[in-house]
Amino acid sequence: MTDVLYNCPRCGGLIEVVYPKRDASGWKTLWRERRMSNAPLDQSGVWRYREFLPFLDDDRHVVTLREGCTPLLDAPRAAQYGGLDALTFKHQGFNPTGSFKDNGMTCGAAQARRLGMNRVACVSTGNTSASMAAYASAGGLQPVIFLPHGNISFGKLAQALEYGARTIQVDANFDQILAMVRQLADEVGIYLLNSINPFRIEGQKTIMVEMMDQRDWRVPDWVVLPGGNLGNASAFGKALREMLELGLIDRLPRLAVVQAEGSAPFYELVQAVAAGSGAAQLHPVEHPETLATAIKIGDPVSWPKALHEIAVTGGVVEKVTEQEIADAKAVVGRCGIGCEPASAATLAGIRKLTAAGVMREDADVVAVLTGNVLKDPDYIHRYHTGVLEYKSSGKIRPSLGNPPVLANFDLAEIKALIDV
Ligand code: F0G
């Protein structure tokens, strides 16, 4: 596709990339062999799977920072906390800019270059902007970023500045700014790299492909992920459907999307659909709240796609409190793994789903940690020192708090502190 198009001219819905019928025999071997290669495209955990996302006619447009290639990590302690016998994290925080956005951004940036664009833009709760800034600058494009002022972590803002993005902090929330920028992009001809961009979704599909490749194509029972704008849920569902159609896998895992309680319009929608009350129509949360700022989104644009993927995979949507996210995050930390707040919604959600009997304790579960622990150090310090606060419910209890200890420059005193 060489038109700049995000929405269907007929129905107004978001565009989805569709490919002609493909023969996937030999792909698994080819993909495995590429791990031995030193070619940049083969070393990328996105472009290694390029047959699965063949939208680009010329590889020279690709900007790669060797994205993807993220590990599957066993986490027995987190499993126990979540009420499971075993749990594996697919840690997208190992990406070059520290989040899963890099998987999609390498594709979005390639498409922008293919279209001959000079400037790219996004509205972001932080990670998309960090990623876009990096890939745009690496690929000779000018990044322009719009952020909800005061509502993104410093780690993410710092990345945008360091990677050279024109950074505009707007006094409005994510949903309001996105609506405005969608209009602006058409008027001033900037290429939008939010997840309304279908090529970003194509790139994010590889998170599922790489996971299956790493598991030698053994399909898990569940894939758990946090839900914000719902681009990732859409990408995962599409990837799983396509892998099934192509015969790469023999069944679908169930998707479990977890939202923060104060920003959970998709949870409410799926509840309403299950109860059979009315048409499937999302009611936006006008003032979304959560300390997990990455998923502080009240009007997720990709909800129709995500709803479809939940239905197709027999999936579920759960919501969790701020306290639950904070404690789950500390547990992920204690595993020596760590993640940012939004990512920890997965483990908090798993704990609820096993308690409710939706997820069996012997289920084979992969939870996707979407962002690196260093994305939001301020949150961590506040939690461990007992000063993390959430507007509507006050202080978060540091149930697993591990505050630093102040000591005088005194050997005996320090020795006593070590022995506690
Ligand atoms: N986890 C993290 C760490 C995120 O940054 C995001 C979204 C999500 C989960 C939710 O993913 O939107 O595909 O449902 N961050 C976007 C951003 C909105 O601007 O960085 P989603």
Side-chain angles (χ1 to χ4, degrees), residues 100-101 124-125 127-128 226-232 294-295 297 340 342 370:
F100 73 97
K101 304 292 180 179
S124 177
T125 56
N127 280 324
T128 299
N229 219 12
L230 301 172
N232 222 17
I295 50 174
I297 293 174
E340 69 161 283
T370 43

Side-chain angles (χ1 to χ4, degrees), residues 49-386:
Y49 303 105
R50 50 194 176 270
E51 288 73 17
F52 196 68
L53 42 149
F55 68 88
L56 204 63
D57 44 16
D58 187 344
D59 292 344
R60 280 175 307 176
H61 298 304
V62 170
V63 187
T64 174
L65 297 169
R66 312 301 186 270
E67 52 289 322
C69 308
T70 61
L72 282 179
L73 304 171
D74 285 331
R77 198 167 182 158
Q80 193 187 16
Y81 182 82
L84 291 171
D85 296 341
L87 174 61
T88 309
F89 289 123
K90 172 80 172 146
H91 205 327
Q92 292 303 112
F94 281 60
N95 259 301
T97 78
S99 85
F100 73 97
K101 304 292 180 179
D102 295 343
N103 284 67
M105 204 53 76
T106 184
C107 292
Q111 177 70 6
R113 280 158 49 101
R114 175 191 185 198
L115 296 174
M117 295 288 170
N118 296 317
R119 255 188 316 192
V120 289
C122 70
V123 182
S124 177
T125 56
N127 280 324
T128 299
S129 52
S131 182
M132 194 194 79
Y135 281 84
S137 289
L141 302 163
Q142 277 173 26
V144 185
I145 283 165
F146 300 87
L147 303 171
H149 183 40
N151 275 298
I152 80 159
S153 76
F154 260 117
K156 299 172 190 177
L157 175 61
Q159 284 181 291
L161 303 179
E162 188 80 354
Y163 297 137
R166 177 97 176 122
T167 303
I168 302 169
Q169 305 202 70
V170 186
D171 271 321
N173 70 29
F174 174 89
D175 309 298
Q176 293 164 322
I177 309 170
L178 181 57
M180 188 193 73
V181 170
R182 282 173 87 166
Q183 194 184 336
L184 183 84
D186 288 341
E187 283 174 23
V188 295
I190 343 178
Y191 192 57
L192 259 191
L193 282 175
N194 272 93
S195 57
I196 60 168
N197 186 303
F199 302 99
R200 282 226 5 237
I201 300 295
E202 287 304 290
Q204 285 173 214
K205 284 190 326 192
T206 58
I207 300 167
M208 286 296 97
V209 183
E210 187 178 73
M211 174 196 77
M212 291 306 317
D213 187 3
Q214 288 166 322
R215 291 173 53 97
D216 297 321
W217 306 95
R218 268 182 310 104
V219 180
D221 298 319
W222 292 92
V223 173
V224 188
L225 71 159
N229 219 12
L230 301 172
N232 222 17
S234 312
F236 286 10
K238 184 172 193 278
L240 295 166
R241 280 189 286 114
E242 290 181 357
M243 281 191 278
L244 186 67
E245 273 163 33
L246 288 161
L248 295 169
I249 55 176
D250 54 11
R251 66 185 177 95
L252 294 175
R254 299 175 73 183
L255 287 179
V257 174
V258 188
Q259 296 207 290
E261 200 175 54
S263 305
F266 191 54
Y267 169 82
E268 300 302 339
L269 168 68
V270 171
Q271 290 292 108
V273 170
S277 52
Q281 184 59 47
L282 182 119
H283 298 292
V285 174
E286 204 180 332
H287 300 292
E289 287 297 343
T290 171
L291 295 171
T293 48
I295 50 174
K296 190 171 174 178
I297 293 174
D299 192 7
V301 288
S302 293
W303 73 261
K305 285 187 182 180
L307 186 63
H308 175 67
E309 307 305 353
I310 289 291
V312 170
T313 63
V316 299
V317 183
E318 185 54 275
K319 65 174 177 180
V320 290
T321 65
E322 295 298 309
Q323 183 70 51
E324 288 167 336
I325 292 175
D327 290 339
K329 180 171 142 55
V331 172
V332 179
R334 290 278 178 97
C335 295
I337 291 175
C339 65
E340 69 161 283
S343 311
T346 53
L347 180 58
I350 288 170
R351 189 173 158 96
K352 277 187 93 169
L353 290 167
T354 52
V358 176
M359 196 176 272
R360 288 170 51 137
E361 66 175 37
D362 62 352
D364 182 355
V365 182
V366 178
V368 179
L369 298 179
T370 43
N372 191 284
V373 67
L374 286 174
K375 285 282 188 175
D376 197 348
D378 187 54
Y379 180 108
I380 301 178
H381 189 255
R382 283 173 190 271
Y383 175 82
H384 287 290
T385 54

